[in-house]
Amino acid sequence: SITLAGAFLGGLVFGTLADKLGRIRVLTYSVIFFGVFTLCSAAAPNFELMAIFRFLAGLGIGAEFGLGMAIASEVSSPENRAKATSAVGLGFQVGVLVASLASAPIIAAFGWRGLFVVGFVPAVIAIIIRAFVPEPPIYEQHKASGKKHGNLADLFNSPTRIKYSIIIIILCTVQNAGYFGIMTWLPKYLNSELGLSLTSTGLWTAVTVLGMMIGISAFGFLADKAGRRPAFWTFQVGAAAMIIIYSQLTDPTALLIGGFFMGMFANGMIGGYGTLIAELFPTEMRGTAQTALYNAGRFIGGASAPVVIPMIAAGHGFGFAIGCVSCIYVVAFIAMFFIPEKKGAMLE
């Protein structure tokens, strides 16, 4: 939660800087910022300093996802925009999978501090990438025009902007509540209530993540082919249905298959938010919108779901608590009615 709080603040700060200084430049700075304070976490002598270092590392995390979405949307064609932003979401999920597989052997060999040392590697990679990747042409055109870059207040400077900003925050809150809620408590649910071993829960979690990766890829193609709203509605209905079904399963094989499809629908939409935000907000404030709005949802949903689910589980069991997560997708389904369809539209 401390790290997510830092990510929220980092999104506000780095996003605005990206509109002023450049997407690639500020993205590089944010990754280096994350790497440096992750390395500092390895040397933290007490909880207080660890909390400070994690908060500061979170500042860097807050920019990475949103600016990645902004860059992908700005360099892709209108016909492939959802696939491009979904590729960013896929990269995020690949990173999660690699980290989950690598963490155990690293901790076994070097301890938990060694794991934080490895977290410095992205900073080195970012410096190398920065030397070869130019700014998106649409951003360079905006900068050359002399137009003023956007700021946080611009997200709410008209009734239309207020509506779009609130709806995007709602959608991103649902996305992150579902993701963090499921991935935080799925191993506990499988282990404590269904009696699966920790080794088995690792397999089930890996299959769920694999489903997420395939879902992200499928969503990008569907959103570019059928439209943004049909794609979101399809995956929102699928997520709600699969979470309810999954909460009723007890057979190990059925849980394995169900976890795959639950992950596919619940996290498949993650790349779509980058497309929606890019098409709703102009270039002069796209970095601000991508980072601020997504991180607001990540902070609200990501911090609340892991706390609310065990509170419900205390009285009704984890199966019922995880099943309740399906209700939030109804809210997201309704919210999509307020988002205009901009499939194939040029960016402002």
Side-chain angles (χ1 to χ4, degrees):
S1 295
I2 289 171
T3 306
L4 288 176
F8 174 58
L9 180 59
L12 303 182
V13 174
F14 283 110
T16 304
L17 286 176
D19 286 330
K20 181 179 181 180
L21 303 177
R23 280 78 160 104
I24 300 295
R25 177 184 297 180
V26 175
L27 178 60
T28 304
Y29 294 161
S30 72
V31 176
I32 293 173
F33 206 85
F34 162 79
V36 168
F37 286 104
T38 297
L39 184 62
C40 290
S41 300
N46 52 52
F47 176 81
E48 289 75 18
L49 277 176
M50 172 62 82
I52 292 173
F53 292 147
R54 296 313 299 153
F55 178 82
L56 293 172
L59 291 177
I61 292 174
E64 293 166 11
F65 191 76
L67 292 186
M69 290 291 183
I71 294 166
S73 65
E74 290 180 341
V75 300
S76 60
S77 65
E79 296 78 15
N80 296 300
R81 188 174 299 133
K83 289 191 283 289
T85 56
S86 290
V88 177
L90 183 62
F92 167 74
Q93 206 59 61
V94 170
V96 171
L97 182 61
V98 171
S100 66
L101 295 175
S103 59
I106 292 174
I107 291 174
F110 305 104
W112 65 266
R113 294 183 185 273
L115 193 63
F116 284 108
V117 172
V118 174
F120 180 69
V121 174
V124 178
I125 296 174
I127 295 172
I128 297 172
I129 290 176
R130 175 69 183 90
F132 299 97
V133 181
E135 293 290 341
I138 192 173
Y139 174 78
E140 294 285 23
Q141 293 169 11
H142 157 69
K143 189 174 181 180
S145 70
K147 291 182 180 178
K148 181 182 178 182
H149 66 85
N151 54 52
L152 290 171
D154 290 337
L155 295 175
F156 304 94
N157 66 358
S158 71
T160 300
R161 290 265 177 85
I162 292 173
K163 181 181 73 171
Y164 289 162
S165 295
I166 292 175
I167 293 300
I168 291 296
I169 290 174
I170 291 173
L171 290 171
C172 292
T173 296
V174 170
Q175 169 65 35
N176 284 282
Y179 176 79
F180 282 100
I182 292 170
M183 296 310 295
T184 300
W185 290 110
L186 182 60
K188 175 70 174 176
Y189 168 60
L190 295 172
N191 180 247
S192 65
E193 296 216 354
L194 301 182
L196 298 178
S197 67
L198 291 177
T199 302
S200 296
T201 61
L203 172 63
W204 266 256
T205 302
V207 170
T208 301
V209 172
L210 178 62
M212 291 178 175
M213 294 165 63
I214 293 177
I216 291 169
S217 302
F219 180 91
F221 281 95
L222 181 61
D224 280 331
K225 184 71 175 178
R228 294 13 174 172
R229 291 201 289 185
F232 271 100
W233 282 330
T234 299
F235 273 70
Q236 286 159 355
V237 171
M242 285 309 307
I243 290 172
I244 292 175
I245 292 171
Y246 193 83
S247 68
Q248 304 303 311
L249 300 176
T250 56
D251 178 74
T253 303
L255 284 165
L256 194 67
I257 298 171
F260 176 88
F261 286 102
M262 179 177 67
M264 184 178 76
F265 284 109
N267 205 46
M269 298 170 280
I270 192 169
Y273 304 105
T275 297
L276 291 183
I277 297 171
E279 293 172 345
L280 293 175
F281 295 91
T283 300
E284 61 262 28
M285 59 182 304
R286 188 165 295 120
T288 300
Q290 291 278 12
T291 55
L293 299 179
Y294 182 80
N295 278 296
R298 177 156 61 177
F299 178 61
I300 297 169
S304 61
V307 176
V308 173
I309 286 178
M311 291 173 62
I312 298 174
H316 303 281
F318 272 113
F320 179 82
I322 289 177
C324 287
V325 175
S326 64
C327 297
I328 64 177
Y329 291 99
V330 177
V331 177
F333 187 94
I334 296 172
M336 282 304 300
F337 281 98
F338 298 92
I339 296 290
E341 178 60 62
K342 292 198 172 186
K343 169 180 170 285
M346 298 295 293
L347 295 182
E348 294 182 40

